[in-house]
Amino acid sequence: MKVLVINAGSSSLKYQLIQTDTGEVLAKGLCERIGIGGSKLTYKPTGKGKYETQKDMKDHTEAISMVIRALSDPETGVVRSMDEIDAVGHRLVHGGEAFSEAALITDEMLRVLEALCELAPLHNPANLMGIRACQTIMPNVPMVGVFDTAFHQTMPPEAFLYGLPYEAYTDLQVRRYGFHGISHSFISQEAIAKLDKPAEETRVITCHLGNGSSMSAIKGGKSVDNSMGFTPLPGVTMGTRCGDIDPAIVIYLMDKLNLDTVGINAYLNKQCGVQGISGVSSDFRDLWTAAEEGNRRAELALRIFAYHVKRYIGAYAAVLGGVDAIVFSAGVGENDSGIRALAMEGLEYLGVDMDYKRNETLPRGEEGEISKPGSKVKVFVIPTDEELVIAKETARLAAK
Ligand code: AMP
């Protein structure tokens, strides 16, 4: 099946066309600055060059129609016509408590997603625009929604409830939802397949460390905790997001910096994390360069980030009653051996016996084991592939 995977943001839209039986990516691309002028489409068919088209896209519907034109272009396209696209899979950020797995997009789902916009004001409205655009351009193609929150719906109440009045949960839906579920699900399954143990007895800690980062405790293949919460803001500190902080800091900063709710939201999401600590960059490559040049704050940012990862490993080892595998993934987890080494240092008491040489020499972006062969806790680097998961889930549901 050929599945078009769509990840729609408020002014951007990422896409990949995937042949699901082989997992081959036929083409991928990005529409940027949708609705804000100066829009462009970048399109890269596999094995060919990269093409860029500058043309204003006033909304997501225009963006999707440009994507379809690029995919079916007689010279640079990868399909003869739109009819070759069998299904569309949408990455959806927030499914609340309504979705514990991927589902076919129906009018009922759209109503639920709309109601959930309040919980994910930055993401769900954009996801909905992506769906509506595809419905307009490809009305007869089946569509599937794959949620970032769904995998974490197995968390028990002690993990998902906050120390707030119970009514905040029952009346206002305030609870931990957890995010990056598509990735945590994929990398934990890959790790479980490598363990010499029945899947239902496995205890895995997954570290999805990228620009946004989250960690998960996974017992018998099911998520029992995730470091993100009601929103994707808490947990380990991130590129520009603050991660866990004392909630009273929010009130204090609003007062001292004279920020309203919009202002504090932007501050906590865009000016914090390793960017805020270092004052240098949110990109870990820049932080290592600056740290090597003697920038103390850049070094501190790296240490704080690795410390948070270690702190969650400790917490989740306790939650799981021991660990069989720790998995590193996403931009930082897959590429940054320095962060992996810092985070794993001193975990011998847990049964981790790291192969630091292997950690350092593992080719970037490649899958591999970075603990020694006899290590009680296996440490893996497993590249995540969220688009492939979405494509496969979409093919599975569309085939029904
Ligand atoms: P993601 O959100 O998963 O795409 O991850 C993006 C982040 O990965 C970037 O902001 C970088 O900080 C980090 N990253 C990518 N490549 C490397 C690398 N070679 N070394 C260290 N960090 C990297």
Side-chain angles (χ1 to χ4, degrees):
M1 224 182 234
K2 284 187 179 67
V3 173
L4 179 61
V5 175
I6 300 283
N7 185 350
S10 56
S11 64
S12 71
L13 187 144
K14 274 194 247 172
Y15 64 94
Q16 284 194 12
L17 185 67
I18 297 179
Q19 183 76 47
T20 53
D21 24 325
T22 57
E24 189 192 352
V25 177
L26 303 174
K28 60 166 90 168
L30 170 69
C31 302
E32 290 169 275
R33 300 185 58 86
I34 302 168
I36 49 178
S39 336
K40 71 170 180 190
L41 169 118
T42 326
Y43 166 70
K44 166 103 187 60
T46 301
K48 293 188 191 155
K50 195 169 177 178
Y51 304 93
E52 206 179 283
T53 313
Q54 309 248 4
K55 185 173 178 291
D56 270 357
M57 302 170 223
K58 79 170 179 340
D59 55 27
H60 286 63
T61 307
E62 285 194 4
I64 289 289
S65 79
M66 272 185 75
V67 169
I68 299 294
R69 240 176 286 141
L71 289 171
S72 56
D73 184 273
E75 271 173 40
T76 56
V78 290
V79 290
R80 273 185 305 276
S81 79
M82 193 169 81
D83 299 341
E84 280 186 44
I85 298 172
D86 299 298
V88 180
H90 291 268
R91 181 190 187 147
L92 304 178
V93 170
H94 214 312
E97 290 189 330
F99 296 98
S100 54
E101 52 187 42
L104 273 173
I105 294 175
T106 58
D107 290 346
E108 174 55 20
M109 184 201 272
L110 292 183
R111 268 193 293 278
V112 176
L113 283 177
E114 243 158 45
L116 287 168
C117 282
E118 246 186 1
L119 295 187
L122 296 178
H123 297 106
N124 274 31
N127 294 163
L128 275 164
M129 285 195 274
I131 296 175
R132 296 221 164 90
C134 289
Q135 284 179 326
T136 308
I137 307 285
M138 299 179 266
N140 300 319
V141 180
M143 284 195 234
V144 170
V146 186
F147 298 90
D148 260 322
T149 48
F151 180 59
H152 301 302
Q153 277 298 301
T154 46
M155 283 192 287
E158 57 270 33
F160 75 66
L161 284 175
Y162 292 115
L164 297 170
Y166 197 71
E167 293 72 22
Y169 168 54
T170 51
D171 301 352
L172 300 169
Q173 297 159 278
V174 177
R175 53 158 286 179
R176 181 191 304 278
Y177 291 97
F179 294 87
H180 288 143
I182 301 166
S183 177
H184 287 292
S185 157
F186 175 73
I187 58 178
S188 61
Q189 279 165 28
E190 295 280 306
I192 288 168
K194 296 176 195 300
L195 294 174
D196 202 9
K197 225 178 172 187
E200 56 283 7
E201 290 171 21
T202 54
R203 301 156 301 177
V204 177
I205 299 175
T206 43
C207 316
H208 176 106
L209 311 177
N211 204 16
S213 295
S214 76
M215 312 227 345
S216 249
I218 295 162
K219 197 169 198 165
K222 296 199 160 80
S223 173
V224 292
D225 212 341
N226 180 257
S227 60
M228 285 180 164
F230 178 59
T231 69
L233 187 55
V236 296
T237 198
M238 306 182 208
T240 60
R241 287 176 241 167
C242 61
D244 294 332
I245 59 168
D246 175 346
I249 296 170
V250 177
I251 302 153
Y252 182 78
L253 288 179
M254 286 178 82
D255 187 31
K256 290 290 173 192
L257 303 178
N258 201 17
L259 295 171
D260 59 9
T261 50
V262 174
I264 191 75
N265 197 36
Y267 178 96
L268 296 172
N269 276 287
K270 301 212 170 99
Q271 295 176 38
C272 296
V274 292
Q275 161 80 61
I277 299 164
S278 68
V280 171
S281 172
S282 62
D283 192 307
F284 283 66
R285 290 163 287 200
D286 300 338
L287 295 177
W288 283 108
T289 306
E292 273 151 28
E293 287 165 356
N295 186 312
R296 215 189 63 78
R297 275 173 57 184
E299 191 202 330
L300 195 58
L302 292 164
R303 290 200 172 277
I304 291 172
F305 180 81
Y307 179 77
H308 288 183
V309 174
K310 190 195 297 277
R311 181 192 268 162
Y312 269 101
I313 289 175
Y316 288 168
V319 163
L320 294 168
V323 195
D324 299 306
I326 298 172
V327 187
F328 286 94
S329 195
V332 178
E334 289 165 30
N335 296 298
D336 197 329
S337 58
I339 286 293
R340 295 195 301 252
L342 282 174
M344 300 312 290
E345 222 170 56
L347 296 185
E348 293 75 20
Y349 77 96
L350 265 183
V352 175
D353 190 4
M354 274 289 280
D355 184 341
Y356 287 103
K357 184 101 211 282
R358 175 83 182 125
N359 175 49
E360 235 182 271
T361 54
L362 183 76
R364 291 227 161 97
E366 236 176 62
E367 180 173 317
E369 184 178 339
I370 53 170
S371 46
K372 291 192 180 144
S375 181
K376 222 172 92 208
V377 178
K378 303 272 174 215
V379 186
F380 299 118
V381 174
I382 300 181
T384 192
D385 196 341
E386 290 157 294
E387 284 77 16
L388 183 64
V389 177
I390 296 170
K392 287 196 163 163
E393 281 290 273
T394 302
R396 184 177 66 80
L397 287 163
K400 286 186 183 170

